[in-house]
Amino acid sequence: MRIAPLFLNSSRRLLFLSRMASNKVLTTENINPQVVTMQYAVRGPIVIRAVEIEKELAKGANKPFKSVIKANIGDAHAMGQKPITFIRQVLACVSNPSLMETGKFPSDVIEHSKTLLGGCGGHSAGAYSQSTGIDVIRKHVSEYISKRDGFPCDMENVILSGGASESIRNVLKMFIRHDGSKKIGVMIPIPQYPLYSASTEEFGLGQVGYYLHEEKNWSLEENELERAYKDSLKKFDTKVLCVINPGNPTGQVLSRQNIETIIKFAHKHHLFLMADEVYQDNIYAEGSKFHSFKKVINEMGAPYNKMELASFHSVSKGYMGECGMRGGYVEFFNLDPQVFVLFKKMISAKLCSTILGQVVMDCVVNPPKPGEPSYDLWLKEKTAVLDSLKQRATLVKEAYGSIEGIRCNEVQGAMYAFPQIQIPQKAIEKARSLNQEPDFFYAMQLLESTGVCIVPGSGFGQKEGTYHFRTTILPQPELMKDMLNRFKSFHTKFLQEYK
Amino acid sequence: MRIAPLFLNSSRRLLFLSRMASNKVLTTENINPQVVTMQYAVRGPIVIRAVEIEKELAKGANKPFKSVIKANIGDAHAMGQKPITFIRQVLACVSNPSLMETGKFPSDVIEHSKTLLGGCGGHSAGAYSQSTGIDVIRKHVSEYISKRDGFPCDMENVILSGGASESIRNVLKMFIRHDGSKKIGVMIPIPQYPLYSASTEEFGLGQVGYYLHEEKNWSLEENELERAYKDSLKKFDTKVLCVINPGNPTGQVLSRQNIETIIKFAHKHHLFLMADEVYQDNIYAEGSKFHSFKKVINEMGAPYNKMELASFHSVSKGYMGECGMRGGYVEFFNLDPQVFVLFKKMISAKLCSTILGQVVMDCVVNPPKPGEPSYDLWLKEKTAVLDSLKQRATLVKEAYGSIEGIRCNEVQGAMYAFPQIQIPQKAIEKARSLNQEPDFFYAMQLLESTGVCIVPGSGFGQKEGTYHFRTTILPQPELMKDMLNRFKSFHTKFLQEYK
């Protein structure tokens, strides 16, 4: 900061001062350009405004609604879902081991906690773990996967992380290159979970969108994969295929046959598979079933069972919904051993993921067994959550489906619906005049007039000329009804206003 | 995977098969080159070998020692330090709120926990927080900083993160650019904590090392800063100055005057300051005092109090040593407001840091107050840890200082000593013949023959022709004596062998 020369005339001096005022080392002009261009709609402007409105309401602002309903993010506990007792008992005992002596905890909780503490440095959750995670938890994860798939899983291939997001970002990082050659292309679904678009953008990777087929309940079609791949080669060296199953934001569950098609496609073009399977416990529709990519690849046998695959799981979804704990893992399959060494070196600079997040992951992959004291309550709580989610999945589909100008696919799994809305031409023009995407305009109007916070489809990607929004199915039943009522009344007014 | 053509003759077929065997999508040939070149010595080959040796011992291997002593990493709990009761009680109550009804917890623990749960979505630590962290905790951090420095801190400038590492990496990320222009240069001390070298390498930033003055107890000298800066401009556009105070791995505590010199230097060259102050509670030497950069910049007044500064703190060090909890924060000062918006957008794709890590951060910045039921025990535990660390800081300096061929500066603060060792010429030649750095060779020999795990100085950087190692002062007193004995006996034999 230098002193503004006094001899300058006032307007020149003002200019000088204003330039000085922004005389920062780091400015929007010289900041990492990928930070400018990346977007993460799930926490974008609509959500920022929702938080502001909440604060305004808390200060007594007069609004046509009394609360904000956040259906923007898959955050079950924030929407009133209660934690699973077993998980929280283990967390308490691991955090504060003297509790194990009080006689207030079931014996399996204590045993579980002791095993976990035995895996911690100095028997404390306050010690770092290896960057790969606590060994006994990696072992439990590998046993879970082996049992789930009927194929062996080596615990050495399991790396624990702070949610699945961290693992997904770590895997994508390996494909970065800035040597002036073609960017590596990463195939991601459209619509997609914006972690993928945000991360590929941040890392300077090439985004290759393949459209899901909305009319066929958001399935992946070979023709479309081929088209996207072929088009991508003009710009990128495409090497990665990301699949989200069950789908986010689209709520579909891929059939086994669909997965086979995808695997064959990936094999044909020599692609590295990334399978985001964090909703593997969230299957609702009659006839739908979760098939892991690991399982299908192995069942298909050679040459497919030699393909490179990274698959991801998390404690944030499922029946436990422990988002705030930040637990997750990646399982690698057929990763080049030397690449794996480099991967482990790369993550070592981040030390380790949170021990208590790892502990929650353990409770998820290694829950109480029949006959153990915590089993009955655990099963009851788990079943109640999943049953209720199933009901809400149906309720949401039916409610939105019954509204004029809205079409909603079946929510087969995951935690979201992604309904299509027909936005009247006048509203589209109004949005354009405000330099907004029409569905962004719609979502912002909905928020301002009803307090309902959803995410516009443009944040996930959608076919040109179509408009959608993502809503979670997480509000508890009463709140869900409230939300649907608010939505319906807004939508009717909106159609009238812009018809 | 294609079938190997059978008509090839056997040696050609072998070649084909071996090429096929490594026919991976992702290989060491095409992986992100920065992942190949980055190094993180604190968890490098010596430590990997130490973990292997532990497993060998567990399987009954016959070695000249019975245990591995890990003095490679600042991990207090792993070295037997006990957690602070207050922190663990709050963690238990926040994890499992029904414990608050048992009458077994002090009233301030319960109040503290209720306040924190009130800041959580759905009153559950299982909900995501805003990406910036839970507001009430950010407020407590800002109050802590205001009180510490005597200058106001706006809670909006505080961002919670998974340890300080995550924040440091996030700030560095803003300086990445891959547009073919000069890389941004980041000035880092030599020796330095390898998070900085690993992250600048991973992000493709320019590493600008400035040497600390070993003979003046690792102080920063203006001449050397100027030299490093001037040299760097040939290759880089140098914009960032990182300072670690108290020092890691060097254990020095910067004097107020030294900090002023650094600030004036940074101002002169228009540098963005990053102050890594995670050891702010770890001050041992008579006459040493912690001065935060934020405080000094403000006390210096204009024009310095307009400089951009990011300062970092963590729950991993201090008296609590809760490394596994992954709590930390960055406070920004004078950051360009639009840059701040972009920063917050960037971190939003990672959702949020662990809630329980945030909770521990809260306990650190907002501990029990005099008169509250937990105060006396908290103070007693805190004082005992810091007193014991102080004793060990002296013990380590004296013990190493008394060994022939080793020189060790006073450990004024932090958790490490960084002694210089004179390695005999014959040992240097032996190391070179193995293609190893001499201090790496020394450290590996030490590990294999005594089980003591330290990190060679080459992992932190050191003046050409000098050799060092970093050891923590964390082993508990008995173990520390054991370690020093093992070390001394090894060192004597080593000198004899290679004299």
Side-chain angles (χ1 to χ4, degrees), chain A residues 180-404:
Chain A
S181 63
K182 268 185 180 175
K183 286 179 179 181
I184 300 292
V186 178
M187 298 187 73
I188 54 182
I190 300 181
Q192 52 99 29
Y193 174 47
L195 169 69
Y196 292 93
S197 52
S199 301
T200 50
E201 183 61 29
E202 184 187 332
F203 298 158
L205 296 164
Q207 282 179 54
V208 180
Y210 61 88
Y211 288 98
L212 303 178
H213 197 140
E214 183 166 13
E215 288 69 30
K216 293 194 182 168
N217 215 47
W218 303 112
S219 63
L220 276 76
E221 310 246 301
E222 196 177 356
N223 283 350
E224 171 55 15
L225 287 169
E226 290 285 358
R227 179 209 61 78
Y229 177 76
K230 202 176 148 206
D231 281 3
S232 78
L233 297 181
K234 293 172 202 154
K235 281 175 75 182
F236 307 128
D237 181 7
T238 298
K239 283 190 182 299
V240 184
L241 173 61
C242 300
V243 181
I244 311 173
N245 178 47
N248 176 5
T250 38
Q252 85 282 27
V253 178
L254 297 181
S255 69
R256 197 183 174 295
Q257 198 187 342
N258 207 174
I259 294 174
E260 272 202 28
T261 305
I262 296 163
I263 290 171
K264 284 181 183 164
F265 164 80
H267 181 264
K268 178 176 167 192
H269 295 297
H270 203 225
L271 301 176
F272 187 108
L273 270 170
M274 290 176 65
D276 179 341
E277 300 175 332
V278 301
Y279 298 97
Q280 58 192 265
D281 286 327
N282 299 98
I283 312 285
Y284 315 117
E286 212 58 51
S288 285
K289 196 176 167 225
F290 172 70
H291 305 274
S292 77
F293 270 76
K294 169 91 179 292
K295 180 171 184 251
V296 178
I297 267 184
N298 277 287
E299 286 174 351
M300 287 168 75
Y304 307 104
N305 60 4
K306 300 288 178 238
M307 290 173 70
E308 291 147 272
L309 167 70
S311 48
F312 308 93
H313 196 15
S314 163
V315 305
S316 302
K317 313 301 170 185
Y319 59 92
M320 51 284 176
E322 292 279 12
C323 310
M325 298 295 168
R326 315 309 297 124
Y329 71 74
V330 54
E331 181 203 5
F332 286 111
F333 188 59
N334 291 323
L335 192 65
D336 179 290
Q338 286 175 289
V339 166
F340 203 10
V341 169
L342 292 173
F343 180 86
K344 285 186 271 195
K345 184 184 70 170
M346 179 183 79
I347 62 170
S348 72
K350 299 204 274 181
L351 296 159
C352 68
S353 67
T354 154
I355 302 302
L356 296 177
Q358 296 183 36
V359 162
V360 177
M361 193 76 246
D362 191 82
C363 295
V364 170
V365 294
N366 182 29
K369 311 281 174 300
E372 292 177 356
S374 301
Y375 180 75
D376 290 346
L377 180 60
W378 171 82
L379 187 67
K380 189 180 144 200
E381 290 175 343
K382 174 185 171 175
T383 311
V385 171
L386 290 176
D387 284 353
S388 170
L389 283 171
K390 187 175 178 171
Q391 281 166 24
R392 283 177 273 162
T394 313
L395 179 66
V396 162
K397 187 242 176 302
E398 284 170 1
Y400 285 117
S402 71
I403 299 174
E404 184 198 338

Side-chain angles (χ1 to χ4, degrees), chain A residues 24-25 36 77 308 334 345, chain B residues 24-25 36 308 334 345:
Chain A
K24 300 282 185 187
V25 179
V36 178
H77 291 206
E308 291 147 272
N334 291 323
K345 184 184 70 170
Chain B
K24 300 282 187 187
V25 179
V36 179
E308 290 146 273
N334 292 323
K345 184 185 71 170

